[in-house]
Amino acid sequence: MSLLQEERNIILNNEYVDRFDFAEVEEFVRNASKNLFISHNFKTKNKMLVQPRGGFPTYDKMFALYEFFDKADVDVLPCTIDSNTRLNDYETAKKMLRLSEENEVDMLNGYPLVTHGYRNTRKMMTHFDKPISLRHGTPDARLLIETAIASGIFEIEGGPITYLLPYSKNFPLDKAFLYWKYVERVCADYSKLNEPINRESFGPLTATLVPPCITIVIQLLEMLLSLEEGVKSFSVSFSQTGSMNQDIVMGAVIKKLAKHYAHEIGVTDADIHLVYHQWMGAFPMDPNFAGQLINMSTVIASMVGANKLITKTKQEASGIPTKEANAETVANTQYLLRILNGLPNIVDEEEEEILTLEVMAIMEAVFNDKADTLWRKVFNSIKNGTIDVPFSPHIINNNEMITIRDKKKNIRIIKKGKVPIPDRCFEYEKAQCDLTKDTTSIVNDIIHDIGIMQ
């Protein structure tokens, strides 16, 4: 028995899990409909795939949500997991699910997949014959991923950096790397049975003034960590920055460098996709303005040539969106994409050159770390500030980098901390900003820039 299988036996020998039948799950994956695999949809559907967000605690409400989405022409169904399951607190998830079912009030903010179990959930996930994307935010997702794949969910979002630095304060980063190595290996193993399981990194990070170079570096590193374990379908992603020009440049650079670095580690047979998130920051309360923002995001997604677009709703500022609001957004987005049908894309060459130099300089510093494995190099680079995510709550993150918007709404680095971007690039970044103001004025500008779309 392999070490991985021994670890899997331990993980799945859990009091909150029904008996896990490895042979039965393998047989299910081997014979599953190809339509359930987003990797297959990327190859066969000649369009940008549209995916909303959404998750309810009870089976019946989740099924009703999917029925709504199915009628709205959703390409990819979401399965958003509740916070207790994300934190591996299955006991509370079980209690809250029972209360939700008894009182018909949602006591959880998502679907408690581990509690429902794969035998029950699979009936729903296979019923609609569409790919499902697991959205969670879990540093230790080992049990969750096993349950998801056994249920027919063949796209797994997240990673050791993107699901830790934006969400957690104290969870050990080195443990997260090892737990996600398990996830990559399980996904790679199952990928040999049918179409590949797709892994998707979470590009928005803190969704707060994260400069493009940091977003891209983290996307590339999570991609490499996944590919080196044998994953053959991977999606890099980023979210709307607030500057159309910066988004278009980011799209061009991330696509170019994803292919470059995959080839650098000798992987030429993996499919790399681009996912674009509609605005992830604070939304305007006015539903008309929210609608305009959503439409603008769709136009930009078309311009950057995204393979998948993750939508928002007009209700984003006022609470958890209803299934009706989600379905409306999807229908409108699909309509707009049909009208656009791809847009000409003119990339700002100077911005592209600066961003490419920044990303490659940080990547080189990571690779030059003295550690013997890539995950240790990345761990050290976060610890020593080579990678620094603005507004991350995690204690290991340096939080020395300061960013602000220039007059054209581009996110600029005005204090780089220990991030090794070239001097020429740093001078260019600062030159776009008015740094003659006093500290209070700059802080007020940053606060304004965070809520720019409200």
Side-chain angles (χ1 to χ4, degrees):
M1 187 186 295
S2 70
L3 283 173
L4 176 62
Q5 191 57 45
E6 283 182 28
E7 190 177 354
R8 294 179 77 189
N9 290 342
I10 294 166
I11 293 293
L12 289 156
N13 185 22
N14 185 301
E15 62 180 304
Y16 300 104
V17 179
D18 285 340
R19 188 182 60 79
F20 197 93
D21 186 335
F22 285 104
E24 188 277 334
V25 172
E26 276 197 18
E27 191 63 18
F28 161 67
V29 174
R30 186 177 285 110
N31 297 306
S33 164
K34 293 196 180 299
N35 294 333
L36 291 172
F37 293 83
I38 196 172
S39 58
H40 178 72
N41 284 256
F42 280 138
K43 288 176 197 165
T44 56
K45 289 200 172 178
N46 189 27
K47 70 182 289 292
M48 189 188 308
L49 304 180
V50 176
Q51 176 194 307
R53 289 175 165 79
F56 289 103
T58 66
Y59 184 98
D60 290 346
K61 277 197 174 181
M62 198 71 183
F63 196 94
L65 177 70
Y66 284 174
E67 284 186 315
F68 242 81
F69 283 162
D70 196 38
K71 290 191 186 105
D73 197 22
V74 162
D75 296 306
V76 184
L77 296 168
C79 184
T80 303
I81 301 301
D82 70 285
S83 298
N84 295 110
T85 302
R86 295 177 187 208
L87 298 172
N88 312 107
D89 182 1
Y90 310 117
E91 177 65 38
T92 304
K94 191 175 181 179
K95 285 178 187 169
M96 293 298 135
L97 173 60
R98 192 167 66 246
L99 287 171
S100 300
E101 289 169 339
E102 288 170 359
N103 303 316
E104 295 186 15
V105 175
D106 296 336
M107 301 299 288
L108 292 165
N109 61 348
Y111 185 78
L113 177 59
V114 171
T115 307
H116 280 289
Y118 75 85
R119 288 175 176 84
N120 194 32
T121 301
R122 188 190 291 172
K123 296 170 194 166
M124 170 163 50
M125 298 308 178
T126 53
H127 175 80
F128 296 95
D129 203 32
K130 289 182 182 231
I132 304 106
S133 179
L134 187 74
R135 326 298 289 184
H136 51 116
T138 314
D140 180 6
R142 292 172 295 175
L143 178 55
L144 180 62
I145 266 66
E146 294 276 15
T147 312
I149 294 173
S151 304
I153 301 172
F154 301 140
E155 179 182 73
I156 309 296
E157 189 195 33
I161 312 166
T162 58
Y163 267 6
L164 191 76
L165 294 189
Y167 292 110
S168 175
K169 182 182 179 185
N170 294 310
F171 194 97
L173 180 59
D174 51 354
K175 281 190 177 179
F177 277 114
L178 295 173
Y179 295 157
W180 277 89
K181 184 187 274 281
Y182 173 106
V183 170
E184 310 299 2
R185 287 178 174 173
V186 168
C187 289
D189 280 359
Y190 277 123
S191 295
K192 296 167 188 170
L193 303 176
N194 199 324
E195 296 292 324
I197 308 288
N198 187 72
R199 285 277 295 105
E200 181 183 316
S201 185
F202 179 65
L205 293 166
T206 58
T208 312
L209 293 181
V210 181
C213 63
I214 293 293
T215 297
I216 294 176
V217 162
I218 290 173
Q219 289 301 293
L220 296 176
L221 291 170
E222 286 202 340
M223 177 193 77
L224 294 176
L225 288 165
S226 189
L227 297 185
E228 74 173 10
E229 298 300 338
V231 167
K232 297 301 180 192
S233 181
F234 194 91
S235 299
V236 290
S237 78
F238 70 99
S239 59
Q240 185 176 5
T241 63
S243 159
M244 180 188 276
N245 190 51
Q246 203 159 47
D247 286 351
I248 291 167
V249 171
M250 276 185 83
V253 172
I254 199 168
K255 282 196 279 192
K256 173 180 69 180
L257 293 184
K259 184 180 283 188
H260 168 78
Y261 284 107
H263 287 193
E264 283 277 294
I265 65 163
V267 176
T268 56
D269 60 344
D271 291 321
I272 313 296
H273 319 283
L274 177 62
V275 173
Y276 185 76
H277 292 251
Q278 293 183 342
W279 180 250
M280 289 288 286
F283 246 72
M285 289 295 292
D286 187 318
N288 293 317
F289 292 167
Q292 296 294 338
L293 178 55
I294 289 164
N295 290 341
M296 192 71 216
S297 304
T298 305
V299 172
I300 297 169
S302 187
M303 294 182 80
V304 301
N307 300 109
K308 185 176 79 170
L309 173 62
I310 300 178
T311 59
K312 286 284 196 172
T313 75
K314 293 179 185 177
Q315 296 179 345
E316 217 65 45
S318 54
I320 297 173
T322 61
K323 59 182 185 295
E324 291 84 359
N326 261 308
E328 179 193 342
T329 289
V330 170
N332 291 344
T333 299
Q334 295 281 28
Y335 172 75
L336 186 52
L337 286 173
R338 284 196 297 274
I339 294 174
L340 294 169
N341 196 26
L343 286 169
N345 189 358
I346 301 165
V347 181
D348 183 322
E349 289 182 10
E350 185 177 24
E351 290 283 348
E352 184 183 11
E353 183 192 0
I354 292 291
L355 181 54
T356 302
L357 288 171
E358 290 177 349
V359 171
M360 294 189 86
I362 301 169
M363 292 293 282
E364 186 179 357
V366 174
F367 292 145
N368 286 341
D369 183 85
K370 63 185 183 303
D372 58 346
T373 59
L374 179 57
W375 80 261
R376 288 182 188 278
K377 289 175 188 285
V378 181
F379 174 81
N380 290 342
S381 299
I382 293 169
K383 195 173 180 181
N384 66 29
T386 298
I387 297 168
D388 196 348
V389 179
F391 300 99
S392 165
H394 202 280
I395 54 171
I396 202 170
N397 190 70
N398 278 229
N399 273 317
E400 290 178 11
M401 176 179 271
I402 297 176
T403 51
I404 199 167
R405 291 188 186 275
D406 65 18
K407 59 183 181 296
K408 293 181 178 176
K409 307 291 192 292
N410 299 296
I411 299 169
R412 299 296 183 193
I413 299 165
I414 58 170
K415 187 179 173 192
K416 66 178 182 176
K418 300 184 186 75
V419 180
I421 60 173
D423 291 342
R424 174 193 158 198
C425 300
F426 187 41
E427 292 309 317
Y428 175 85
E429 296 261 357
K430 289 190 296 183
Q432 312 308 310
C433 308
D434 178 7
L435 299 179
T436 60
K437 300 176 179 179
D438 59 33
T439 304
T440 303
S441 300
I442 289 176
V443 169
N444 288 337
D445 284 347
I446 292 170
I447 293 167
H448 169 266
D449 290 343
I450 290 168
I452 192 171
M453 297 299 183
Q454 288 178 299

